[in-house]
Amino acid sequence: MQDQNEYLYFLRRAFDGMLGVLDDLGDGLGNARPPLPGANSVYAIAYHCAAVADYWTGHVIAGREVDRDRAAEFTATGHGKDLRRQVDDLFEQLEADLAAVTAASAPCNTPPADFEGPDRPLSVQGVQLHVLEELAQHHGQIQITRDLLKRGASS
């Protein structure tokens, strides 16, 4: 069995950073969108990241059924404290999902092409790198969104 603690550690760091921004902004600004074409709220981005980690790790790697409405993730609204609890629950699930994963494991499922993942077949390690890639990008997006919102740029 491969030790997944280091992977989960880096996922947690990314989520802690995103949720920290959401805590800092509060629910009002956390659910606001900056006035830029296609911009998303901090809450929606963090919510999307939870869905990314759940789907790619739980469904693609572990084979667990995950009901995901990707388009709805970008319009999600809610309370930061509720999302933090959801992420905490997700980490318990991810730990269970990864318990039997080894370096030689193959992902149980292939994602649909419209989920905008990498354009090649992935190993378990490749899927995990993709999740980290997504979370790192969106963590930065959340930081920029925070900066815009704190300067009064919201719609």
Side-chain angles (χ1 to χ4, degrees), residues 9-147:
Y9 167 80
F10 282 102
L11 286 186
R12 178 57 81 169
R13 280 175 47 103
F15 275 110
D16 285 349
M18 290 184 268
L19 294 170
V21 169
L22 193 54
D23 290 344
D24 181 47
L25 290 175
D27 290 337
L29 277 181
N31 283 289
R33 295 170 177 241
L36 300 169
N40 297 300
S41 71
V42 167
Y43 182 93
I45 299 164
Y47 184 90
H48 166 68
C49 286
V52 164
D54 188 36
Y55 177 81
W56 286 87
T57 304
H59 180 70
V60 175
I61 291 176
R64 178 170 48 83
E65 283 301 314
V66 173
D67 185 27
R68 184 177 183 199
D69 181 351
R70 188 177 185 280
E73 294 164 16
F74 298 101
T75 59
T77 59
H79 300 287
K81 68 180 186 308
D82 294 336
L83 185 56
R84 184 174 290 280
R85 277 193 296 274
Q86 188 178 342
V87 168
D88 289 342
D89 292 344
L90 172 63
F91 269 81
E92 287 183 28
Q93 180 63 60
L94 295 178
E95 196 170 324
D97 290 339
L98 295 172
V101 172
T102 67
S105 298
C108 289
N109 290 305
T110 302
D114 64 338
F115 268 29
E116 299 179 19
D119 60 358
R120 56 182 260 189
L122 297 175
S123 65
V124 164
Q125 185 177 29
V127 173
Q128 289 177 314
L129 289 170
H130 173 61
V131 172
L132 286 171
E133 169 191 46
E134 287 292 312
L135 270 56
Q137 289 179 68
H138 288 308
H139 186 190
Q141 180 185 10
I142 280 175
Q143 291 170 326
I144 291 168
T145 302
R146 173 202 56 210
D147 294 348

